[in-house]
Structures are given as C-alpha cells and as structure tokens.
Amino acid sequence: MRRVISEEEMKRMEQKFHEDFREAAMNPPSPDIDTIFKLIVVTIDRDYDDEGNPLLPYPSFKVDATECYYCRTLVKAERIMRRRVIKERKKKERNEEVHNKIYCFYITELPLEHKITEYVPGEYLTCRAYDANGLLADKSKAGNICLREDIKTECTHLSYPLFRGRSEEEIRFKPGDIVEVMDGTDIRLAVITGIPPTIEQCWEYHMRLKSLSLEPECRKRPHHYMRDYSDDSYIIVDSAPNNQLYHEHVNSIFVFTPRFPIPVEVEQKFKRAFEEWKAL
C-alpha cells in the first residue's frame, strides 16, 4: 500500500530541497574528472597619437590576451599570477616604462581529453576573473561545457550545467552603474539596466515550473528547470543612437569597474541613456 505523505512531511521535504538548491547555487557541483587550469593575462593595448601620447581610453580601448599559462592546480596558476603582478609593480617603483599594463586575469578550469573552443576566456568548467592587482573580482556560477557527467541530473535534456542564481553579495553592480564590458579584444563602457537573478528568484522560478508540470494539460510535456550559464548575466545599454535604445546580455565575468576617469560628457550620456531606458 502506498504511504500517504502528510502536509508536514511535504513541508520538511520542500525545505530540505530548498536548502540543497541554495547550497548548490553557492557551491556549484563539479564533475569528478581530471582537469587543468589555464591562466590568461589580459593586457591593455593602448593607441597613441602621432606625437606618441596615449589616446583617451573611452568610450572604448583594446586589450590583448595572448599570454597564457597551463597549470596543474589553481594554486599554481594563482602563484604565477601574483608573480606577474609583482613584476609590473616593481617596474613602476623603479619608474620604468610599463608596456601593455595588466587589465585583468582569467583562470579557467578545463577538462582533459575534451574538445575546447579557444577564445577569451573560452569554454570552461569554472572561470575566475581577477583584477589588475590579482584580487578575485568574480567567478562563474555555471560552466559552459557539457560533459556526460553533467547529464546525470533530474533535467536529462539539458546541454549545460545548471545556474541557480547568485546571492545578493555576489551581484557586484546595480542598475544605473557605469561599467567596463569586455567584448573579445575590446573594452567599452556601458550602463547596467538589469542584474543577474538571485538564488531566491531562481528557486521561485523552479517551483513555478514544478507546479506547472502537475497541471493535467502539462503532464505530457513536463517543464524542467532550464537556466544555464547564459542566464548569469547583466543587462547593459552602451549607447542611444537616434534615441532608439537597444540592450545586451553580458556574462558577469566580463563586467568590470571602470579603470580610468570617465569624462563628464560621457558620464552624462550614459546617465541619459539609463533614464530613457527606465522610461520605456
């Protein structure tokens, strides 16, 4: 005979599921496979005028990401990164000219014996972004590589690991903030208009889907939790041509605090763009 679960038991089970969901969001599970770590040094590639003076960096400037190191552990990758920071710092202390100053670092975790697409920062199981001083700025909450191990979830049709949201402390920017956005080898200014979903928002989304799947008309088409790395993004606006605003979704690891002073006229442009966006 099938045992009837009481309402109190149901609440306890849901609370445990909620706690497990939050724990997985804060500490995303990783597959049990051999991996290596790739350190990517991103440097500023400034343009100069005919007299050799550096051009103003904004609204955009170039970066280079051809310097890479492959390491057996995260600790060793971070050690090389710190040595790179110290090397540049000592040059500055000696008043030596520093070419291609550090913009940021990425350390990506990669599976061995698996096809990897090479771009910046490329495909990854995990990705950590560090500022020019080697301090952790952000880290991915879901990888963008699909492995066989990833399919062993309740959502067997998913291609990528699950993104379960960010805690409020992990969301570095708020709507209206002017930020730098990495777009390949370009760094450009933009204004934040939307932030990544929180863990609680993702949990509510999951529970709505679960509730929907219980409806008689939906049982033949079960609704699964489908958020992945692409949902871990800020919504940005970078210009307002002819007052026709458009927006983009940019992964959190590509968004940084502006490094240089922002000209007043540029700052005002983005403030107007944000106000126009809010009025839509």
Side-chain angles (χ1 to χ4, degrees), residues 120-170:
V120 178
E123 292 182 317
Y124 52 83
L125 295 172
T126 63
C127 180
R128 292 167 172 82
Y130 301 80
D131 66 16
N133 295 311
L135 300 176
L136 183 65
D138 207 342
K139 59 182 178 181
S140 62
K141 305 299 289 185
N144 62 3
I145 297 177
C146 175
L147 300 172
R148 266 182 203 173
E149 287 79 1
D150 297 329
I151 302 302
K152 295 176 183 177
T153 69
E154 61 184 85
C155 307
T156 55
H157 67 290
L158 282 176
S159 298
Y160 298 102
L162 300 180
F163 168 65
R164 299 174 178 85
R166 285 178 172 262
S167 68
E168 293 183 2
E169 294 76 20
E170 292 173 322

Side-chain angles (χ1 to χ4, degrees), residues 45-138:
D45 188 10
R46 294 290 298 274
D47 289 327
Y48 296 84
D49 61 20
D50 295 337
E51 297 179 356
N53 299 312
L55 298 176
L56 293 176
Y58 297 136
S60 66
F61 58 91
K62 294 285 187 181
V63 291
D64 179 83
T66 56
E67 184 180 342
C68 302
Y69 303 82
Y70 289 87
C71 307
R72 290 186 175 88
T73 66
L74 174 63
V75 170
K76 291 182 178 179
E78 289 184 324
R79 190 177 299 153
I80 294 173
M81 175 184 67
R82 286 192 291 269
R83 287 205 299 262
R84 187 68 170 76
V85 171
I86 292 171
K87 180 180 178 181
E88 182 171 298
R89 191 174 297 159
K90 286 183 176 179
K91 279 190 173 183
K92 291 178 182 178
E93 291 172 354
R94 294 194 297 264
N95 292 322
E96 295 180 13
E97 186 175 1
V98 179
H99 297 284
N100 299 327
K101 294 180 181 178
I102 298 168
Y103 177 74
C104 72
F105 300 91
Y106 285 105
I107 298 180
T108 59
E109 184 180 8
L110 307 173
L112 288 174
E113 301 175 3
H114 193 281
K115 185 182 76 172
I116 299 295
T117 302
E118 290 286 352
Y119 54 90
V120 178
E123 292 182 317
Y124 52 83
L125 295 172
T126 63
C127 180
R128 292 167 172 82
Y130 301 80
D131 66 16
N133 295 311
L135 300 176
L136 183 65
D138 207 342

Side-chain angles (χ1 to χ4, degrees), residues 261-273:
I262 302 175
V264 174
E265 62 275 13
V266 175
E267 183 177 7
Q268 291 301 318
K269 184 193 80 167
F270 283 110
K271 287 184 177 180
R272 287 195 301 271

Side-chain angles (χ1 to χ4, degrees), residues 181-196:
V181 174
M182 178 178 286
D183 184 5
T185 58
D186 291 308
I187 304 295
R188 55 192 170 92
L189 287 180
V191 63
I192 299 287
T193 59
I195 61 177

Side-chain angles (χ1 to χ4, degrees), residues 10-11 15 55 179 195 202 212 223 228 247 249 261 272:
M10 286 292 293
K11 287 183 179 179
Q15 179 62 28
L55 298 176
V179 296
I195 61 177
C202 287
L212 184 62
H223 292 72
D228 59 25
H247 72 280
H249 294 254
R272 287 195 301 271

